[in-house]
Amino acid sequence: MKELERIKAEKERREKEIRQLENRQKILLNKQHDAQRRLRTRRLIERGAILESILPLAPDLPGEEVKTFLIALAHLPGAAELADKIPKSGDKP
C-alpha cells in the first residue's frame, strides 16, 4: 500500500512540474512575441520618420495617396536597378 501511495505522490509531483514548465514556456513565448512586436514598431516608426523627412507632404496625405506616390516612384526608369543594388537584409557586405 505504501508503494502505491509513493508512486501516486511521485506522479503528482511530476504533473505539477510539467504544469510549471508549461507555464514558463508560455511566459517565454509571450516575451519573445513582445520583443518581436517592439522591434517591428520601432522599424515602422523609423521608416515613417524617414518618409516624412524626404516627403514633407506625407503627414498631410492619406495613406492611400502616399502608397500611390511610392508605387509611382517604384515604376520610374532606373528604380528597379537601384533596388537591385540595395543589399538585402541577411546579406553579408
Side-chain angles (χ1 to χ4, degrees), residues 58-70:
D60 300 325
L61 294 175
E64 279 300 313
E65 288 186 26
V66 173
K67 180 180 176 181
T68 301
F69 179 76
L70 292 173

Side-chain angles (χ1 to χ4, degrees), residues 1 11 27 37 41 48 82-83 86 91:
M1 207 52 174
K11 181 182 177 212
I27 290 168
R37 190 187 74 249
T41 299
L82 181 61
I86 297 172
D91 289 352

Side-chain angles (χ1 to χ4, degrees), residues 3 10 12 18 20 24-27 29-30 32-33 40 44 48 51 64 67 69 73 83-84 86 90:
E3 179 68 16
E10 177 69 19
E12 288 174 10
I18 289 170
Q20 289 174 341
R24 285 186 203 156
Q25 182 182 24
K26 286 179 188 177
I27 290 168
L29 290 173
N30 285 337
Q32 181 182 21
H33 177 73
R40 180 176 185 271
L44 292 174
L51 176 65
E64 279 300 313
K67 180 180 176 181
F69 179 76
L73 283 179
D84 288 340
I86 297 172

Side-chain angles (χ1 to χ4, degrees), residues 10-24:
E10 177 69 19
K11 181 182 177 212
E12 288 174 10
R13 279 195 303 275
R14 296 299 178 189
E15 287 173 348
K16 181 180 177 182
E17 184 179 345
I18 289 170
R19 285 192 303 273
Q20 289 174 341
L21 290 172
E22 288 171 343
N23 286 334
R24 285 186 203 156

Side-chain angles (χ1 to χ4, degrees), residues 4-5 10 20-21 32 34-35 38 40 46 50 54-55 76 82 89-90 93:
L4 184 58
E5 291 173 8
E10 177 69 19
Q20 289 174 341
L21 290 172
Q32 181 182 21
D34 289 346
R38 281 192 302 275
R40 180 176 185 271
E46 288 175 354
I50 291 168
I54 294 172
L55 181 62
L76 289 175
L82 181 61
S89 54

